[in-house]
Amino acid sequence: MLQKDLLSIDRMTKEDVADLLKAAHEMKTLYKGGGTVDSLKGKVLAMLFAKPSLRTRVSFEVAAVQLGGHAMYITHGEVGLGKREAVCDAARVLSRMVDGIMIRTFAQSEVEELAAHASVPVINGLTDRYHPCQVLADLMTVEEAFGSLEGIRITYIGDGNNVAHSLIHGARRTPIHLTLVTPEGYEPNKELVDAGKTEIGDRLRVLHDATEGAKGAHVIYTDVWASMGQESERQKRLNDFAGYQVQETLLEKADPGVRVMHCLPAHRGEEITDEVMDGAHALMFDQAENRLHLQRALLHILMGAQ
Ligand code: CP
Ligand code: NVA
């Protein structure tokens, strides 16, 4: 069973991931059928945001409410986390008042520090380094679309960013084959890649050639070229990532049944074309919906069982 927090997927066992995905599928079926669970009755999730959000904020809030609980949206500007108040003190104070904390911020170390000092569960809602809830919902989505993760070839094309890093962790905990294709200089973190290759060998590849990477892929996944916090690099990145756009001609190299994923928000016309976003291969809106189902299961496991 999952430990107290969800900080990154590598902290989960293969069984934790499988159990969470199973619970998420069950919760989705239950709620689609009109059933409910009230395991968060009387409980409150504090959501701390240092960056903008649509999916993460709304899916966590709806999930908490649907489980009979409540979610509170708090911006870093109000709290002054690490400025007005030390992270360790905020963790202690929040632990006296709420039943769980979700945090979206820049430094992974801030999330780790919060979790170290909080007595209630802490969930990573995205850092510069990782986006674990996203990738767990992605794995659920792939399972749903293909019936299993066994032998599924996922090719991620774009920046070696937080989503790419969590995908590496996801590949270490599931049977997927993961190819990451980036321009030179934008590869994912070397230590993460090396650790991944040591553990799963050829199931993890890092390439620079998008056409080569797309060959035979069951899933082509992309994300923005400039993540939150990198806005000043946008113009340079637009130039550096030319040739890495997910477009119809690239999909022709992939498996005929290829599906296209994007964690969203998408920058249409940059990393992905309108045609692909609006086309028959698109899976990104299922992905977005599954954030809700996955996180409902997550909140139930981490906060509901106490
Ligand atoms: N994918 C995702 O996390 O979306 P938001 O940034 O809108 O939360
Ligand atoms: N890599 C993107 C993901 C957004 C959900 C970012 O960090 O901005």
Side-chain angles (χ1 to χ4, degrees):
M1 188 55 99
L2 211 54
Q3 297 300 306
K4 169 180 156 276
D5 308 303
L6 176 56
L7 306 180
S8 58
I9 296 175
D10 65 334
R11 309 282 246 286
M12 301 171 76
T13 64
K14 287 180 183 171
E15 291 70 31
D16 291 338
V17 172
D19 289 350
L20 178 58
L21 297 184
K22 184 166 179 282
H25 290 298
E26 287 170 359
M27 278 269 189
K28 182 169 182 176
T29 304
L30 178 75
Y31 273 74
K32 291 273 185 191
T36 56
V37 174
D38 66 355
S39 56
L40 258 63
K41 196 161 183 285
K43 295 189 175 178
V44 178
L45 174 73
M47 305 191 298
L48 294 168
F49 280 91
K51 294 175 175 175
S53 171
L54 172 65
R55 279 144 293 273
T56 303
R57 177 183 177 178
V58 175
S59 55
F60 268 109
E61 185 157 345
V62 171
V65 170
Q66 288 183 339
L67 290 168
H70 180 82
M72 187 187 290
Y73 174 73
I74 309 163
T75 65
H76 268 39
E78 287 167 57
V79 179
L81 200 62
K83 296 190 180 78
R84 180 171 177 266
E85 183 152 17
V87 174
C88 60
D89 291 338
R92 291 181 182 115
V93 171
L94 283 170
S95 298
R96 304 276 182 117
M97 295 180 185
V98 302
D99 305 281
I101 303 167
M102 195 286 301
I103 176 167
R104 165 170 288 195
T105 190
F106 293 86
Q108 177 71 17
S109 58
E110 193 174 291
V111 178
E112 307 276 344
E113 190 181 352
L114 195 70
H117 296 279
S119 58
V120 298
V122 172
I123 298 169
N124 179 355
L126 178 146
T127 61
D128 290 346
R129 179 85 163 182
Y130 301 125
H131 198 358
C133 295
Q134 178 66 53
V135 167
L136 289 164
D138 298 343
L139 292 168
M140 176 193 177
T141 308
V142 172
E143 252 181 2
E144 201 173 59
F146 292 89
S148 163
L149 296 174
E150 200 69 48
I152 296 295
R153 294 185 293 275
I154 301 180
T155 295
Y156 172 95
I157 301 176
D159 186 24
N161 62 16
N162 42 12
V163 172
H165 291 159
S166 286
L167 281 169
I168 294 175
H169 284 166
R172 290 172 60 180
R173 296 291 176 266
T174 66
I176 62 166
H177 294 247
L178 180 65
T179 299
L180 298 157
V181 184
T182 73
E184 284 189 37
Y186 293 95
E187 296 84 1
N189 177 275
K190 189 176 177 314
E191 281 173 29
L192 284 179
V193 173
D194 289 347
K197 283 190 171 159
T198 301
E199 196 173 321
I200 65 172
D202 291 348
R203 281 204 293 115
L204 176 64
R205 297 188 302 164
V206 179
L207 309 177
H208 296 301
D209 183 337
T211 305
E212 182 60 29
K215 277 185 196 160
H218 298 112
V219 172
I220 292 195
Y221 193 134
T222 190
D223 185 16
V224 290
W225 292 337
S227 286
M228 292 181 277
Q230 297 174 330
E231 289 79 6
S232 64
E233 298 174 29
R234 182 162 174 270
Q235 198 51 51
K236 176 174 170 23
R237 284 170 174 261
L238 282 179
N239 296 332
D240 293 348
F241 282 81
Y244 290 84
Q245 187 184 58
V246 174
Q247 48 183 254
E248 285 291 338
T249 48
L250 192 69
L251 300 187
E252 286 163 14
K253 315 283 181 227
D255 184 85
V258 67
R259 305 302 304 273
V260 178
M261 300 181 74
H262 192 309
C263 59
L264 305 178
H267 291 169
R268 286 168 174 253
E270 293 181 15
E271 75 276 1
I272 192 164
T273 60
D274 282 326
E275 201 183 3
V276 174
M277 281 293 290
D278 301 328
H281 302 286
L283 195 57
M284 58 286 286
F285 300 104
D286 289 358
Q287 253 180 290
E289 178 186 332
N290 284 338
R291 293 291 303 278
L292 169 62
H293 304 299
L294 188 288
Q295 288 158 197
R296 202 195 291 111
L298 180 66
L299 293 182
H300 173 71
I301 291 170
L302 289 182
M303 289 170 63
Q306 294 161 37

